[in-house]
Amino acid sequence: MIAEQLHALPAEEVADRLGADPESGLSAEEAARRLREVGPNALAARERPHYAAVAARQLVDPLVALLVTAAVISAAIGEELEAGVIAAIVVLNAGLGFVQEAGAERAVMALRNAVELTAVAVRDGRETPVPARELVPGDLVLLRAGDRVPADARLVSSGSLAVDESALTGESIPVDKDVDPVASGAPLAERSSLVFAGTAVTRGRASAVVARTGPAMEIGRIADLTQAAKAPPTPLQRRLGRLSRRLALAGALLTVLLAGAMLLQGEPLDEAFLVGVAVAVAAVPEGLGAVVTIALAQGATAMARRGAIVRRLPAIETLGETTVIATDKTGTLTANRLRVAAAEAADGRDVGELLAAGALASTAEPVVSGDELVGDPIDVALLRAAREAGLEPGEGHDRLGDIPFDALRRRVTVLVRGPSGLRVVVKGAPESVLELSELDSAERARLDEVAGGWGDRGLRVLAVAERILDDEGVPLEQAEERLVPLGIVALEDPVRPAVPEAVKTAHGAGIDVVMVTGDHPGTARAVAERVGIPVDREDAVLARVEPVDKLRLVERLQGRGDIVAVTGDGINDSPALRRADVGISMGLSGTEAAREASDVVLTDDDFSTIVAAVREGRRIADNIRTFVAFLLSANFGEVVLFAVAILAGLGAPMTVVQVLVVNLLTDGLPAVALARDPASGDTMRRPPAGLGTILGRDLSLVLGAAGLAVGLAATAAFLVGRELDPDAAQTMAFATIALAELALVFAVRVPRGPAWRAGRNRWLFLAVAGSVVVVAAAIYLPLGRDLLDTAVLGPAELALVLALALAPTVLLEVAKALRFRR
Ligand code: ADP
Ligand code: MG
């Protein structure tokens, strides 16, 4: 197979063998034909949710074992109908769990696909943005600094190209690449004429012919990368897991205890066994796992609607717990829509020359799209200013080479041949450019003073310098010296309108906002003041920062216990994005490399979207806490009921099926609806909740009190029922618990205030109405009575049930009113 020697063959030959044109690329039809033939450029394992694994998870569940046991015992003691109903519930529950989990996984994957890699390919001779998954062997792709390499490809032209191959080789120092063939036996790391999918361009630019796509790529051979699709459980899910295990243990103990008590009371073994299972079923919150998954998926969708695309589910919770947001300035706090506000020519030069040279020194010339110029905003601003001055900077110039902007050098250098001969033009941060220039100290002082004044007004300052070369042989890097300054330019970048309010909201929510910028300290301070970041607090504004400093900042903040969200756009930001608790990248401007390293992508690059996402994260976490408390209160109530009834020698107060209907259905529906509760008014007016508590103290209190009240109400219903009509006693207990929960759901939504202070949630009303219908059908429809083994309740019994069912909610509201009185 030729693929094995691509690195050793001359570029033209490789292109030839791949049926590719190194100038005009493939035609659109040929690309489409090849795509049908070889399939999408994707690693198969990431394509779809793992349906088999999702299904298996539904079945290897202790709950299923418990229920199967219950069904078997029921069948053994002649309760075939009950056994059948339990079996049906097992199947139904597994099916629902499957649908929900697969749906949630699909939703998250769809979101992730929405921010999938785009490549620039040449098709029919035109540069065309193409989704990376549609690339085919033979495609000509263009690469430049900040891009992710979209497929394994052979270079056909390159300029100072360097690539970070750590994803493939583990080597973190970028490697230089060029078109020259290398020895055929060279190991992967030395195949400098090839670039590999999944690696990132750190410097320079290139064009390359795609050689391999999809699973055939080098990265496809790294097994663990292709299997990374399944997200680990979120911290909350882990804490819930721990809680569930504790509950299961408590349930097991209780089961043994109560079954033992029955045996001591002289009940037959199989009867004791079945009641034991019923106790266990009552103690375990069966619906919990599914509801949490649904809530997180719903949260991811809600955040996407607000412009924050979650790439990793745990980020939803972590966002809500964030204590510091370290944010970029340009593009995140500001609009990155630059305009030249002032220009100061160096001694003996004029502003026209300055603007023309500034516009010339761009690595990606802005292109016209509609009637707008598209490109690096700095380059666009300079070009527009030059044109407004009646100049056309590119005219009469041939571009021979360039060094693109990077955050360390803080400048752009180009080599052009023009009317005045061979010329190096440099533009960038004044420190960086003037350092390389020859100018006397008086002139330097003058320019510095002008620049300082501009900085204090929040303007971005660039210096431009040039050098006329007489010798063509000098490498570009070495030509960057003894420059002649042309002057300095001030660029205005308006603050994004929603940002000052968002910074205020963040502060009110106990979240620090830190600005991290490569820009000049003066400019940084002025912008900070404008958006409301306190400039005199230590560490609030970090200017002229290098990418490693960002990583150190994240580590230092984490070291003192902060939960850190950090933004980043450059390829050098990847380590900080990975290290942060929440790495946030830019959907509009940033590099693919930064997006790949991040947990969240902002579709609008706007800081205020981060704050909106934090609010959303807190809402989800609040809602999860609420429905955990809600679901557990039912379990608590059932346990109280069973304990009293059995210890009093009265037998099981509810059947297994009745318990399951409450835990999964009449409680499950409102719990799912609770996930959609709107944020409460104080969501962003209190400090971050802090990791480690699922149930805050207030909520635990609510849960304990409510669960106890529900249990006592049901016990009362059961005891009175035995006196009124022994056949209806279990039905009364069942109806009391089910209905008590349906009233309680409105009270637990607001753990610290009256129920009516909650926001509107029509899903909740629908869910509660649905559950009421289920309870009514279980009692008043013959089929319902058969399935749930219930009896009709007469008016007196029904009135009693309703009164008892309302009691816990009334008690809870009174207790809250006393405790949280304003
Ligand atoms: P920020 O934190 O504001 O995004 P950057 O790290 O992007 O800052 O830029 C740092 C400095 O580098 C800027 O203040 C500017 O002087 C210079 N610079 C930024 N972009 C360019 C560019 N395209 N060409 C030349 N110089 C640039
Ligand atoms: Mg920047």
Side-chain angles (χ1 to χ4, degrees):
M1 181 65 202
I2 67 153
E4 299 315 313
Q5 315 139 29
L6 291 180
H7 54 283
L9 296 172
E12 304 75 48
E13 173 142 14
V14 175
D16 203 37
R17 291 198 187 189
L18 289 165
D21 184 325
E23 293 291 317
S24 63
L26 296 176
S27 69
E29 299 85 67
E30 176 61 11
R33 195 191 65 72
R34 291 188 186 191
L35 185 61
R36 278 193 304 276
E37 189 178 309
V38 301
N41 174 30
L43 303 176
R46 287 189 169 221
E47 287 310 281
R48 253 180 293 122
H50 300 245
Y51 287 123
V54 174
R57 265 206 299 283
Q58 314 306 319
L59 296 177
V60 294
D61 186 319
L63 173 68
V64 171
L66 185 68
L67 294 181
V68 169
T69 316
V72 169
I73 297 174
S74 300
I77 61 172
E79 296 274 359
E80 280 88 9
L81 185 62
E82 175 151 4
V85 175
I86 296 175
I89 288 177
V90 172
V91 172
L92 213 69
N93 186 48
L96 276 180
F98 175 83
V99 170
Q100 286 156 354
E101 267 200 49
E105 228 175 278
R106 226 182 11 247
V108 172
M109 283 190 187
L111 291 176
R112 204 179 300 163
N113 290 343
V115 289
E116 262 200 350
L117 193 58
T118 316
V120 178
V122 178
R123 297 250 174 105
D124 293 314
R126 271 193 309 273
E127 291 185 20
T128 320
V130 176
R133 44 178 297 124
E134 290 173 18
L135 288 178
V136 293
D139 252 325
L140 182 65
V141 291
L142 304 183
L143 299 170
R144 51 177 176 124
D147 286 348
R148 301 262 303 174
V149 177
D152 289 1
R154 172 66 163 91
L155 296 175
V156 292
S157 78
S158 75
S160 20
L161 188 71
V163 176
D164 174 353
E165 295 193 329
S166 54
L168 215 52
T169 61
E171 172 57 61
S172 61
I173 298 170
V175 287
D176 291 329
K177 299 270 180 180
D178 62 53
V179 294
D180 298 335
V182 296
S184 65
L188 194 66
E190 287 165 24
R191 297 187 181 176
S192 57
S193 57
L194 298 183
V195 287
F196 301 103
T199 63
V201 181
T202 56
R203 170 162 54 77
R205 53 159 93 207
S207 64
V209 175
V210 172
R212 281 178 298 231
T213 60
M217 299 185 298
E218 287 299 334
I219 199 157
R221 301 185 188 178
I222 303 179
D224 56 332
L225 275 175
T226 61
Q227 284 160 9
K230 173 95 188 82
T234 73
L236 194 68
Q237 279 175 323
R238 270 201 302 271
R239 276 177 269 144
L240 278 173
R242 215 178 312 138
L243 181 72
S244 299
R245 279 194 296 280
R246 277 193 206 139
L247 287 175
L249 193 69
L253 277 174
L254 202 69
T255 304
V256 172
L257 211 77
L258 294 183
M262 283 191 73
L263 288 179
L264 287 179
Q265 291 162 5
E267 298 287 341
L269 184 63
D270 49 4
E271 190 66 25
F273 224 91
L274 195 58
V275 172
V277 172
V279 174
V281 171
V284 175
E286 286 85 6
L288 199 57
V291 181
V292 172
T293 311
I294 295 173
L296 289 173
Q298 197 263 335
T301 314
M303 282 194 187
R305 225 177 292 129
R306 287 179 160 256
I309 294 178
V310 174
R311 296 183 66 248
R312 286 189 261 280
L313 226 40
I316 295 179
E317 286 162 46
T318 323
L319 266 170
E321 324 240 326
T322 296
T323 59
V324 181
I325 305 174
T327 174
D328 289 337
K329 173 177 70 67
T330 305
T332 313
L333 296 173
T334 69
N336 209 6
R337 262 199 317 270
L338 300 171
R339 192 180 64 82
V340 172
E344 178 78 21
D347 197 19
R349 312 300 295 237
D350 71 60
V351 169
E353 267 181 295
L354 167 61
L355 292 176
L360 203 54
S362 85
T363 33
E365 287 131 286
V367 292
V368 179
S369 152
D371 28 74
E372 281 210 53
L373 282 169
V374 187
D376 183 320
I378 288 188
D379 298 341
V380 169
L382 287 168
L383 184 58
R384 198 181 292 132
R387 285 190 178 156
E388 275 162 16
L391 305 161
E392 194 49 60
E395 235 163 50
H397 285 87
D398 275 339
R399 179 184 297 268
L400 304 179
D402 58 38
I403 309 176
F405 176 76
D406 80 52
L408 274 173
R409 289 165 31 95
R410 295 203 178 99
R411 61 178 181 267
V412 166
T413 302
V414 299
L415 177 65
V416 292
R417 189 191 303 283
S420 47
L422 206 55
R423 197 171 159 218
V424 175
V425 188
V426 182
K427 83 163 195 299
E431 297 96 313
S432 159
V433 175
L434 298 182
E435 212 48 39
L436 306 165
S437 303
E438 290 182 327
L439 79 174
D440 62 50
S441 56
E443 175 69 352
R444 172 84 200 238
R446 185 180 75 87
L447 291 179
D448 280 348
E449 193 182 324
V450 175
W454 286 342
D456 291 344
R457 285 163 51 198
L459 299 171
R460 270 192 131 179
V461 186
L462 289 177
V464 184
E466 68 170 5
R467 179 179 166 196
I468 309 294
L469 288 180
D470 28 43
D471 174 11
E472 201 159 324
V474 187
L476 200 47
E477 277 86 356
Q478 282 163 36
E480 289 181 297
E481 54 175 30
R482 286 186 283 129
L483 303 175
V484 181
L486 291 166
I488 52 177
V489 181
L491 296 152
E492 187 176 71
D493 187 6
V495 162
R496 285 177 179 272
V499 167
E501 192 57 40
V503 170
K504 206 192 273 170
T505 306
H507 286 154
I511 301 168
D512 261 353
V513 181
V514 176
M515 177 199 283
V516 187
T517 175
D519 215 335
H520 187 273
T523 312
R525 280 178 72 97
V527 173
E529 259 166 12
R530 222 167 281 168
V531 299
I533 295 175
V535 287
D536 23 66
R537 208 195 60 228
E538 202 193 339
D539 274 2
V541 180
L542 305 176
R544 282 296 187 235
V545 155
E546 291 178 6
V548 284
D549 300 328
K550 209 184 234 183
L551 177 62
R552 288 205 197 103
L553 172 73
V554 169
E555 287 173 342
R556 197 171 74 234
L557 291 170
Q558 285 175 332
R560 60 169 216 218
D562 275 310
I563 310 283
V564 185
V566 76
T567 71
D569 51 8
I571 179 169
N572 298 317
D573 289 331
S574 300
L577 288 171
R578 284 218 176 79
R579 178 66 216 237
D581 299 283
V582 189
I584 303 171
S585 65
M586 304 300 144
L588 291 181
S589 61
T591 57
E592 294 286 356
R595 282 197 277 277
E596 185 69 22
S598 65
D599 305 299
V600 176
V601 182
L602 302 182
T603 55
D604 57 5
D605 293 11
D606 194 327
F607 175 82
S608 65
T609 302
I610 303 175
V611 178
V614 167
R615 180 193 175 88
E616 203 51 42
R618 288 188 176 190
R619 179 185 73 85
I620 303 294
D622 278 354
N623 289 348
I624 291 180
R625 290 190 187 99
T626 309
F627 67 65
V628 168
F630 170 67
L631 287 173
L632 289 183
S633 70
N635 297 108
F636 194 13
E638 286 157 7
V639 164
V640 170
L641 170 68
F642 270 83
V644 173
I646 290 170
L647 292 176
L650 305 177
M654 279 168 79
T655 67
V656 171
V657 174
Q658 288 165 0
V659 171
L660 282 172
V661 166
V662 171
N663 290 6
L664 287 170
L665 200 59
T666 63
D667 251 25
L669 287 176
V672 170
L674 275 178
R676 291 180 177 266
D677 252 6
S680 68
D682 71 346
T683 303
M684 293 300 270
R685 272 188 243 126
R686 54 180 153 89
L691 294 162
T693 48
I694 303 179
L695 301 171
R697 242 192 23 170
D698 292 342
L699 217 51
S700 305
L701 261 166
V702 169
L703 158 70
L708 189 63
V710 169
L712 293 179
T715 309
F718 181 65
L719 295 177
V720 177
R722 283 174 58 86
E723 300 305 316
L724 292 179
D725 173 4
D727 283 344
Q730 287 189 330
T731 305
M732 287 180 69
F734 156 73
T736 303
I737 286 212
L739 296 176
E741 287 285 312
L742 294 178
L744 198 60
V745 69
F746 295 99
V748 293
R749 291 169 78 200
V750 194
R752 278 173 292 263
W756 54 86
R757 210 178 280 148
R760 284 163 55 99
N761 179 352
R762 67 196 158 95
W763 297 101
L764 188 62
F765 286 95
L766 280 177
V768 169
S771 292
V772 170
V773 170
V774 169
V775 176
I779 299 173
Y780 294 105
L781 287 187
L783 177 67
R785 281 199 297 277
D786 283 348
L787 292 179
L788 275 85
D789 214 353
T790 49
V792 173
L793 297 182
E797 285 100 337
L798 184 63
L800 183 67
V801 162
L802 290 178
L804 285 170
L806 278 177
T809 302
V810 172
L811 279 176
L812 182 59
E813 284 302 318
V814 171
K816 281 195 298 186
L818 292 176
R819 184 157 194 292
F820 303 111
R821 201 168 22 196
R822 302 241 139 180

